[in-house]
Amino acid sequence: MATKTVNVSKPYTWSEKIYLLAIVQGLLITLKHFINGFFLRKHNTIMYPEVRREYSDRFRGAHFISIDRNKTENCTACYLCQTVCPAECITIVAGERESAHNPDGVKKEKQPVKFDIDALRCCFCGFCEEACPKDAIKLSGKYEMAITSREEAKYDLVYLKREVKGRG
Ligand code: SF4
Ligand code: SF4
C-alpha cells in the first residue's frame, strides 16, 4: 500500500518573513543584559580566579586517599573500588604492609604499592567512595583539574596521598 505524505509545516506569516519582530526581541534582550551589567552591576560571570564560586558539599572533584596520623594511607588494597568502578579506571597492585599493626592499633595487613586513577576515563560517579570500607578513597572539592598532557591525568599514589584539608 502506498504511503501518503502529509505536509504539516506551517507557512510563515508576512511579519515572520521580514524577521523584524525577532530582531527587535533580540536587541531588547541584549539591552536588558547591558543595563543589568553596566548600570545595575548584576553580572552572570565572576572574576575568576580572584573570585571563586561556592560549590555544594556534594560536589565530586579530584580524588584523594585519606591518611592516618602516621601519614599511612587508610587503604588496605581490598580492590572493592576497582571492582565497582564502572569506568574501569582504577588500577591497584596490592603488597604486604611492613608492619601488620600500625601504632594506631588498627590492623592493616595489605597496602597498595600501586594505585592509579585515570582521571580522563573517570566519570566522577563516586561509586568508589561509597564502596570503600575504610573511608580511604574520597572525592574532594577540588575542581581545578586542567592539564596539558595525558600523563598528568594519571593520579598515582603520590598525588592521591596529598594532604587534603576538609574537602580540599
Ligand atoms: S568516581 Fe566512579 S568512575 Fe571515577 S574512579 Fe570512582 S568509581 Fe570510577
Ligand atoms: S581505596 Fe578503599 S575500596 Fe579501594 S582498595 Fe583501598 S580500601 Fe579498598
Side-chain angles (χ1 to χ4, degrees):
M1 198 171 82
T3 17
K4 195 174 155 196
T5 310
V6 181
N7 187 1
V8 290
S9 64
K10 199 177 106 205
Y12 286 120
T13 62
W14 178 82
S15 64
E16 282 170 338
K17 271 186 198 162
I18 61 167
Y19 296 108
L20 203 56
L21 189 62
I23 291 169
V24 172
Q25 281 173 336
L27 286 174
L28 285 176
I29 291 170
T30 308
L31 187 66
K32 188 179 97 183
H33 286 302
F34 174 71
I35 292 169
N36 276 344
F38 196 75
F39 294 109
L40 305 179
R41 299 276 159 204
K42 282 194 217 159
H43 299 293
N44 291 322
T45 52
I46 55 167
M47 293 294 283
Y48 178 84
E50 289 81 13
V51 182
R52 282 152 197 266
R53 282 203 196 284
E54 284 289 317
Y55 280 82
S56 152
D57 284 345
R58 297 166 62 192
F59 176 80
R60 295 190 289 256
H63 313 66
F64 69 97
I65 289 181
S66 64
I67 48 179
D68 61 21
R69 64 187 166 92
N70 305 306
K71 309 249 185 239
T72 309
E73 65 278 346
N74 288 319
C75 172
T76 52
C78 70
Y79 291 97
L80 271 178
C81 55
Q82 181 180 304
T83 310
V84 81
C85 176
E88 298 182 356
C89 61
I90 303 179
T91 310
I92 302 169
V93 175
E96 289 287 314
R97 195 174 289 274
E98 278 176 22
S99 162
H101 296 80
N102 76 6
D104 283 340
V106 182
K107 197 178 177 188
K108 295 176 183 171
E109 291 165 337
K110 283 197 297 175
Q111 69 175 40
V113 288
K114 179 179 164 166
F115 198 120
D116 290 341
I117 297 177
D118 186 344
L120 285 182
R121 290 184 65 173
C122 173
C123 59
F124 297 87
C125 63
F127 283 2
C128 50
E129 186 175 9
E130 274 181 44
C132 181
K134 297 287 176 189
D135 274 345
I137 188 161
K138 289 173 181 295
L139 284 100
S140 69
K142 181 176 156 64
Y143 55 84
E144 286 159 324
M145 291 180 273
I147 48 168
T148 52
S149 68
R150 208 187 185 299
E151 287 68 45
E152 289 174 65
K154 198 171 94 177
Y155 298 165
D156 60 8
L157 207 46
V158 176
Y159 172 81
L160 290 168
K161 274 178 67 179
R162 71 194 185 281
E163 197 112 23
V164 174
K165 302 250 184 312
R167 292 204 66 234

